[in-house]
């Protein structure tokens, strides 16, 4: 696995520090409010698990799964819900926890869909943001790191289901995905 990584972009320590900072921000914003967090499978799983533990306050956890890139490194543009919530989110404070926002298509579709179910508030928290590749106007409410236009893997993020269990975020060698 390591030999496919061109460069380490964020170490385990850097990620841990930033996740802690995001948690402090979120904790402050939701003080005194009930909170339902929704982790997006599968890429956000490591981030989600670390973030909720850093939040260190009462909250509910749920999950959704959306269609991903499959074995390609660029979005097909079509977003599909593969696994939906069974619970009613109306009148709840909802926070979506996602790994990365790239073209913005996934999160703009998801926020539109969930907003139509009348939550009290709906916000998004993404560990990574690649603003250079945006196709639709979308800005997450909480962002961990802004990344350059390279394909990253590790800490939950995959390429063709590989590399998710790397402890750091690395830039994948272009020859692996081109
Ligand atoms: P969007 O709809 O914003 O283009 O894409 C969001 C999804 O694309 C993410 O949830 C993630 O699965 C995938 N994605 C976008 N950029 C990257 C990247 O650099 N690395 C990996 N592993 N996945 C990415």
């Amino acid at each position: 696995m390591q030999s496919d990584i061109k460069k380490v972009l964020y170490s385990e320590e850097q990620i841990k520090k930033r996740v802690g900072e995001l948690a402090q921000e979120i904790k402050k914003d939701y003080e005194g409010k009930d909170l339902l967090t929704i982790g997006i499978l599968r890429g956000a799983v490591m981030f989600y698990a670390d973030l909720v533990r850093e939040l260190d306050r009462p909250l509910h956890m749920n999950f959704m799964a959306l269609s991903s890139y499959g074995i390609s490194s660029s979005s097909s543009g079509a977003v599909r819900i593969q696994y939906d919530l069974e619970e009613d989110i109306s009148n709840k404070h909802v926070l979506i926890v996602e790994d990365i926002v790239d073209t913005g298509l996934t999160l703009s579709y998801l926020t539109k869909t969930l907003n139509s179910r009348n939550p009290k508030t709906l916000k998004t928290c993404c560990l990574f943001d690649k603003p250079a590749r945006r196709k639709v106007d979308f800005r997450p409410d909480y962002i961990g790191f802004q990344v350059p236009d390279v394909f990253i893997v590790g800490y939950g993020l995959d390429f063709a289901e590989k590399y998710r269990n790397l402890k750091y975020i690395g830039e994948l060698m272009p020859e692996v995905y081109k």
Side-chain angles (χ1 to χ4, degrees):
M1 279 203 302
Q2 319 276 350
S3 60
D4 294 343
I5 304 299
K6 189 173 163 194
K7 190 162 94 185
V8 174
L9 292 181
Y10 301 104
S11 66
E12 208 182 334
E13 292 72 28
Q14 284 172 305
I15 297 169
K16 188 171 170 18
K17 179 166 177 281
R18 188 68 190 119
V19 172
E21 290 167 356
L22 282 174
Q24 287 313 311
E25 225 183 297
I26 294 168
K27 216 165 145 173
K28 204 165 89 217
D29 293 352
Y30 287 92
E31 215 175 304
K33 296 174 183 161
D34 285 341
L35 176 60
L36 166 64
T37 59
I38 302 175
I40 307 303
L41 298 169
R42 281 163 283 187
V45 76
M46 311 293 184
F47 174 41
Y48 189 37
D50 286 342
L51 183 75
V52 290
R53 282 178 292 182
E54 289 293 330
L55 278 171
D56 187 27
R57 52 149 285 163
L59 51 79
H60 285 199
M61 289 176 74
N62 213 327
F63 295 89
M64 287 182 81
L66 303 169
S67 53
S68 72
Y69 289 179
I71 54 159
S72 153
S73 68
S74 65
S75 176
S76 63
V79 182
R80 200 166 53 85
I81 295 178
Q82 290 178 327
Y83 170 70
D84 204 345
L85 298 170
E86 279 168 16
E87 75 177 284
D88 178 16
I89 62 164
S90 63
N91 232 9
K92 292 182 183 169
H93 293 289
V94 178
L95 178 67
I96 299 170
V97 181
E98 172 63 310
D99 53 359
I100 183 166
V101 52
D102 185 29
T103 63
L105 289 164
T106 306
L107 279 178
S108 83
Y109 170 82
L110 183 62
T111 50
K112 266 186 209 128
T113 305
L114 293 185
N115 266 323
S116 72
R117 301 180 190 176
N118 303 314
K120 198 178 278 175
T121 61
L122 179 68
K123 286 190 179 184
T124 52
C125 174
C126 289
L127 186 55
F128 301 104
D129 179 22
K130 243 194 241 179
R133 288 186 25 106
R134 214 58 113 249
K135 285 190 183 154
V136 289
D137 186 22
F138 183 86
R139 206 191 123 77
D141 299 284
Y142 304 96
I143 297 169
F145 302 97
Q146 287 209 332
V147 289
D149 186 9
V150 293
F151 197 79
I152 60 172
V153 291
Y155 194 62
L157 286 102
D158 75 312
F159 174 67
E161 290 309 320
K162 223 173 139 184
Y163 315 105
R164 287 196 200 275
N165 57 330
L166 288 174
K167 291 182 177 175
Y168 56 84
I169 285 287
E171 176 181 346
L172 193 61
M173 296 264 218
E175 44 273 45
V176 178
Y177 61 87
K178 280 200 172 131

